[in-house]
Amino acid sequence: MKDNRPIIFTYNDYKSYILDTIAYYKLNDKGFTLKSFAKKLDVSASYLSMIIKGKRELSNGLINSFAIALKLTASEHTFFETLVHFNNSKDDQSKA
């Protein structure tokens, strides 16, 4: 597998990062499917799809599961968590 996976620090939207990372794994891992990824997260493929499409927010409880499934380093995990909270924030004051 080539190591040209998306770099989380270049993203300002966690859903875009997840989509790009899924696309990367689909290209580089023949056994990778949305269903297999959802299974790692202990969610249904349809629920994962809703998160990616913005129909559901990524909950605090799933942030760690995503970080592990996406094989994030400690600093990437922290950035991912911050990004999720930022993107899920309802008002501009919380985003400041």
Side-chain angles (χ1 to χ4, degrees), residues 15-95:
K15 293 177 287 295
S16 295
Y17 172 73
I18 292 170
L19 272 172
D20 290 350
T21 303
I22 287 171
Y24 164 79
Y25 282 119
K26 282 183 176 180
L27 282 172
N28 293 286
D29 180 356
K30 292 181 182 183
F32 184 89
T33 63
L34 193 61
K35 187 175 181 177
S36 66
F37 186 62
K39 189 173 183 173
K40 285 183 182 181
L41 299 168
D42 198 28
V43 298
S44 68
S46 61
Y47 187 73
L48 175 58
S49 181
M50 287 189 283
I51 291 170
I52 293 168
K53 292 177 182 176
K55 294 181 180 181
R56 295 284 186 269
E57 292 181 348
L58 182 58
S59 68
N60 287 334
L62 280 176
I63 292 172
N64 192 53
S65 297
F66 265 85
I68 292 168
L70 294 169
K71 302 174 185 172
L72 300 180
T73 65
S75 60
E76 290 171 331
H77 183 162
T78 300
F79 186 84
F80 180 72
E81 184 173 3
T82 302
L83 198 57
V84 170
H85 290 294
F86 177 79
N87 291 159
N88 288 349
S89 179
K90 301 294 184 212
D91 59 29
D92 290 336
Q93 187 174 11
S94 297
K95 291 183 178 184

